[in-house]
Amino acid sequence: MPAAVRRYAPVLLVAALVVAVQLALSLLRLEYLLTQLTMSAYYTLVTLGLCLLMGYAGQVSMGHAGFFAIGGYTTAVLSTVGAAALAFAPWLSVPAAVLATAAVAFVIGIPVLRLRGHYLAMATLAFGFIVSRVILGTAVFGQADGISDVPAIKLFAGLVLTGKRSLRVQNYYTAWALVVLGLLLAINLINSRVGRALRAIHGNEDAAAAMGVNVARYKLAVFVLSAVYAGLGGACLTHFNAGIGPGEAGVMKSVRYVALVAAGGMGSPWGTVAVSAGLTFLSLRGAFGLYDDAVFGALLVGIMLFAPDGLFGLLPGLRGGRARLRAGRGGGAGGGHPQ
Amino acid sequence: MGTGQILQYLLSGVTTGSVYAIIGIGFNIIYSSTGIINFAQGEFLMLGGMISVSLGHLMPLPAAIALAVVITGLVGVLLQLVFISWLKNPAVLRTIIITIGLSILVREAALHIWDEKVRALPFWTGDETTSLALMGARVSPQVLWVLGVSALMVGALTLFFRYTLTGRAMRACASNGTAARLCGIRTSSLVTLSFFIAAAMGALAGCAISPLTQTQYDMGTSLAVKGFTCAVLGGLGNVTAAVAAGLLVGVLEAASISVLPLAYKDVVALVIMLAILFIRPEGLFGRRATALAGAPGA
């Protein structure tokens, strides 16, 4: 079926690229680069979730670093201070971290998502700020030092979440498998009834409500889902890095995630993955040097001013593709009622 | 706690609160004329402080401060002309992201022009040990400077909006841009002016507070969030209410120190903001719900 092929082709492409990059790097004896690629995969998970929230539900979150940090710190505390309680199954700290992130997102989301526009942006920004201040002011989170010596986690079938050199390839695949799964989930969601409802909300909340879309419930669901992506990324990266610091919760990180989603085309999951993985990798390699934050600030301003369709919108051939995509999308949303 | 100590808390709260109020007013001025929340508002205080510290080495303090205020005002104008002016009816999300991006660029530029070190203007009168006795509380004269400067700015702004033609034109532009244009008001230059006023006021507040709290390149974000708290608390677009809200937030923040660990001080204002947004998004003194359904551009 050509429709299915077109739908899942980007996923296959990403998966193929993941394998190709690993093979190439191993052949060229550049395996050390896999470390940063693994890290950027976990950050990409965050932007992928944010892409669903911003691009499809049209809700901005300036506090996603908060969710990332909640995931990371929960698993860090559970597997260091709280290790005794989880001695029977240490791997439980990761699902517990994701669950904690989801719970916080749920509780915060109910009131926050009633807000719109600037108010929503400020409220989520404030949420992120509160998380980072609480981390900096609480002894159990290690304050300014963060938490170090977070142990590796044995998953199933011999998979271990660790930054150990010998397991570099394996961890690279674990991280990117999560991204591919996340991408698959996102694409399926976008093309489902839920996705159509979300796009209706993005277009016009009142109109969506009039069509019978439960606006509040859908917004909350996608908010929690995007927080789950962030929490999972945070938890896994914490085990991979064997630690987490308060910088992960910083406002600048949240802004960076938004910049990456905007540059990826705000609502293009594969574009988000491509831009996010690429730029995060370069940033982690120190390619931007002292201008790291400035690059992301300039990216935000530049994209929003000159290329609201994202970096790929600048390429003429792809712009036509995007337009076609959008037309197809509009037809789909108009033809099939979401509810 | 004696009355002296209560007064001490109160004064320190009112001092920071008046600075928050000035930031809140800056948000309001730009919001009224453009419908944009300028997330770079806190950066103007930082710029004012930094520029005046640098100029302070070259010229007497009052001249350095005046020049810093003008320069920062012009930076505001520049940001508006280069990045904001040619956006026609931009989506809210787009303006949010642009102003956040601008705040980062200003901050990073400051980091590279100066450095990450903490700086401070000298005290305007006396030095850090000078203090005045006020009903059992010891107060630095700089506190009075901050309060005086803030009161002066609010007073001057009120007079400006009420009695000058330009001020009235700005109010007309805020309440209905199209109608104002039809009356022959050049709204675009008023928007530029509003950026100048907001930036210059922020810079002056930044200079006044610099001897007390110091100036650092990354101080803007938390100030912006707190200033926004005051703007929302008073109701967006309501300048006088922002002053009351600012003082309230400042005092609550200062009082929190006696109950909560110091590290949580910044959280207080934000929790207030979230509570207000959830319970009464139109602000304490506002009438219309603007944050929920029917928000402009939402």
Side-chain angles (χ1 to χ4, degrees):
Chain A
M1 224 170 86
V5 172
R6 207 179 320 142
R7 182 179 300 174
Y8 296 113
V11 184
L12 288 175
L13 192 72
V14 171
L17 257 176
V18 167
V19 177
V21 165
Q22 185 268 321
L23 291 177
L25 291 180
S26 291
L27 274 176
L28 295 168
R29 303 197 174 279
L30 291 170
E31 263 185 12
Y32 63 93
L33 291 176
L34 290 180
T35 304
Q36 281 91 15
L37 281 172
T38 309
M39 289 166 74
S40 61
Y42 290 130
Y43 287 121
T44 299
L45 218 45
V46 186
T47 51
L48 197 50
L50 195 57
C51 165
L52 283 176
L53 184 67
M54 282 174 57
Y56 288 89
Q59 312 296 311
V60 68
S61 167
M62 287 286 161
H64 254 51
F67 292 124
F68 183 92
I70 290 174
Y73 272 97
T74 306
T75 195
V77 168
L78 283 178
S79 49
T80 52
V81 188
L86 280 177
F88 62 98
W91 57 270
L92 270 178
S93 69
V94 174
V98 174
L99 215 62
T101 317
V104 172
F106 184 78
V107 172
I108 282 284
I110 292 173
V112 160
L113 292 171
R114 284 173 52 221
L115 306 170
R116 288 184 185 180
H118 305 119
Y119 296 87
L120 178 64
M122 265 299 178
T124 48
L125 188 68
F127 162 74
F129 227 87
I130 291 173
V131 171
S132 101
R133 290 298 147 139
V134 166
I135 287 170
L136 279 171
T138 311
V140 95
F141 299 129
Q143 293 170 324
D145 295 331
I147 300 179
S148 50
D149 297 324
V150 176
I153 288 277
K154 281 197 185 70
L155 301 172
F156 45 88
L159 284 179
V160 186
L161 272 183
T162 173
K164 235 202 241 156
R165 258 192 182 173
S166 52
L167 297 174
R168 200 147 50 187
V169 174
Q170 187 209 69
N171 269 274
Y172 167 82
Y173 277 111
T174 312
W176 281 100
L178 284 175
V179 173
V180 169
L181 278 179
L183 193 58
L184 206 60
L185 178 63
I187 287 176
N188 275 335
L189 195 74
I190 289 162
N191 291 299
S192 71
R193 198 161 113 151
V194 179
R196 288 191 291 275
L198 290 179
R199 281 201 294 277
I201 292 171
H202 192 177
N204 185 331
E205 280 188 27
D206 297 327
M211 298 302 286
V213 175
N214 189 336
V215 173
R217 214 182 64 195
Y218 275 110
K219 284 205 289 191
L220 185 61
V222 74
F223 187 69
V224 172
L225 181 66
S226 76
V228 162
Y229 273 77
L232 182 64
C236 292
L237 186 62
T238 299
H239 286 290
F240 181 72
N241 283 345
I244 185 167
E248 291 297 348
V251 171
M252 196 49 225
K253 284 273 182 182
S254 294
V255 173
R256 185 173 287 213
Y257 299 138
V258 172
L260 290 170
V261 172
M266 195 88 84
S268 153
W270 69 269
T272 301
V273 169
V275 170
S276 169
L279 287 181
T280 311
F281 173 73
L282 288 177
S283 163
L284 288 167
R285 290 292 306 163
F288 308 130
L290 283 172
Y291 297 95
D292 205 44
D293 283 344
V295 164
F296 284 90
L299 188 70
L300 264 189
V301 176
I303 289 286
M304 280 295 122
L305 283 180
F306 305 115
D309 279 342
L311 286 178
F312 296 108
L314 291 173
L315 305 173
L318 278 164
R319 191 185 290 159
R322 287 275 299 160
R324 273 201 305 282
L325 205 69
R326 204 173 277 155
R329 209 189 270 158
H337 296 301
Q339 287 266 328
Chain B
M1 216 192 299
T3 46
Q5 208 178 348
I6 291 177
L7 193 67
Q8 198 93 50
Y9 277 129
L10 214 58
L11 268 173
S12 95
V14 168
T15 310
T16 43
S18 64
V19 172
Y20 299 161
I22 297 298
I23 308 170
I25 292 174
F27 274 116
N28 279 332
I29 292 174
I30 292 180
Y31 179 78
S32 318
S33 64
T34 59
I36 290 174
I37 290 292
N38 174 28
F39 281 74
Q41 196 61 37
E43 262 54 45
F44 296 141
L45 276 88
M46 180 271 291
L47 278 183
M50 286 297 204
I51 296 174
S52 62
V53 169
S54 292
L55 292 177
H57 299 305
L58 309 171
M59 55 183 84
L61 190 61
I65 291 169
L67 200 54
V69 167
V70 173
I71 293 175
T72 311
L74 293 178
V75 170
V77 168
L78 194 73
L79 291 182
Q80 193 269 333
L81 287 180
V82 174
F83 297 102
I84 315 265
S85 62
W86 52 280
L87 293 174
K88 297 274 173 275
N89 296 321
V92 176
L93 189 62
R94 206 166 155 207
T95 64
I96 293 170
I97 295 181
I98 288 174
T99 58
I100 287 183
L102 289 180
S103 79
I104 295 167
L105 288 180
V106 171
R107 192 188 319 150
E108 290 300 306
L111 176 62
H112 289 282
I113 295 172
W114 293 280
D115 49 35
E116 72 294 331
K117 280 202 212 87
V118 174
R119 280 144 216 267
L121 269 185
F123 280 72
W124 293 8
T125 40
D127 54 38
E128 57 267 45
T129 55
T130 322
S131 69
L132 306 169
L134 198 76
M135 293 195 296
R138 310 290 305 173
V139 195
S140 161
Q142 193 62 34
V143 165
L144 302 182
W145 273 115
V146 174
L147 293 177
V149 163
S150 307
L152 204 67
M153 277 196 274
V154 173
L157 202 63
T158 315
L159 293 179
F160 170 73
F161 278 135
R162 195 161 297 167
Y163 295 113
T164 66
L165 193 59
T166 319
R168 286 180 181 168
M170 282 181 82
R171 271 164 55 209
C173 173
S175 71
N176 190 331
T178 315
R181 263 197 303 283
L182 286 173
C183 293
I185 296 171
R186 193 185 277 276
T187 48
S188 61
S189 46
L190 290 182
V191 169
T192 311
L193 180 65
S194 71
F195 270 80
F196 181 83
I197 296 176
M201 281 178 68
L204 188 53
C207 295
I209 200 81
S210 176
L212 293 172
T213 60
Q214 271 108 20
T215 307
Q216 201 176 5
Y217 81 99
D218 62 353
M219 67 193 279
T221 316
S222 74
L223 283 176
V225 176
K226 287 177 189 172
F228 182 78
T229 305
C230 306
V232 171
L233 199 59
L236 262 185
N238 188 340
V239 169
T240 31
V243 177
L247 300 184
L248 184 67
V249 171
V251 169
L252 284 176
E253 206 177 76
S256 76
I257 300 174
S258 58
V259 193
L260 290 168
L262 189 62
Y264 294 143
K265 189 184 133 197
D266 284 340
V267 173
V268 176
L270 304 181
V271 171
I272 297 172
M273 171 171 90
L274 289 181
I276 287 291
L277 283 180
F278 300 158
I279 301 162
R280 218 183 135 74
E282 67 274 27
L284 284 184
F285 314 104
R287 264 173 252 110
R288 258 179 333 128
T290 46
L292 300 178

